[in-house]
Amino acid sequence: NYTIKGLYIKRNRWDLSCAGLFGYNQGTIKNLTVSDIALEGESGGNIGSVAGINAGTITNCTNTSDITIHRSYAPFDINAGGIAGESLIGSISNCKNIGDITIYAQQNAYAGGIAGYVEMGTVSKCVNTGNLYASVEPSDYTGRISGAGGIAGRSNTATISDSYNVGNAVSVNLQTGKS
C-alpha cells in the first residue's frame, strides 16, 4: 500500500535495458501506486512504470504517470506500457493505468495501456483509461510496424481476460501514411 512519487528515469540513445521502478521483475509486486514519475527515452527496449520486463506477478498496482519515448533512432523495438513494457511468462492482474503512453520511433513501436507486449503471460481484471499513441517515422528501415492497444500493444500466445479500455488508441506509420 505504498505510493512511489517523483521518480525520474531518462534512457540514453543506445540503452537497451529495461526501464521502470523495477527493471526486471521475477518476484511479486503488489498493492503499489506509481505517481508523478517521468519515464523518457530515446532508445529501444522495454519501458513500464512498475517493471520494464515482468516475468513474475504484478497485482493491484496503479500507474497515474505518462510515459513518453521521443525519436528513438536505434534499430530496436520499443515496448511501452502503463504497468510493464513486456510481460513474458508473468501475470498482471487487478491493475489500472491512467497515464498516457506516447512513442515516436524509427523502429517497431508498441504502446499498451497495461503492457506494450504480452508474450506468453496472462493479463486479467485490468483497466486502462490512458490514451495510447505509437508512431513509426520515416527512416532508412523498411517494414516497420507500430501498434497501440488499450490493454496490450501486441500479444503472442498470451491470455487476456476480464479487462477493458476506455482510452484512445492510435497507431500511425508516418512512412506510409497509414494508421
Side-chain angles (χ1 to χ4, degrees), residues 29-133:
I29 302 169
K30 62 183 180 177
N31 305 325
L32 176 69
T33 297
V34 180
S35 175
D36 299 325
I37 67 167
L39 282 167
E40 298 179 2
E42 296 181 352
S43 63
N46 301 291
I47 301 110
S49 69
V50 176
I53 291 182
N54 177 47
T57 301
I58 299 175
T59 186
N60 296 323
C61 292
T62 300
N63 172 52
T64 65
S65 304
D66 296 339
I67 297 173
T68 304
I69 310 301
H70 294 284
R71 303 193 187 283
S72 180
Y73 297 107
F76 308 103
D77 290 0
I78 293 177
N79 300 306
I83 301 298
E86 179 175 353
S87 192
L88 293 170
I89 56 172
S91 67
I92 301 173
S93 63
N94 297 309
C95 291
K96 184 175 185 176
N97 176 59
I98 299 169
D100 294 341
I101 313 297
T102 305
I103 305 171
Y104 302 99
Q106 287 193 340
Q107 72 279 353
N108 297 338
Y110 302 97
I114 301 302
Y117 179 31
V118 183
E119 191 167 349
M120 296 183 295
T122 61
V123 175
S124 64
K125 299 179 182 170
C126 292
V127 176
N128 175 61
T129 63
N131 294 313
L132 309 155
Y133 181 82

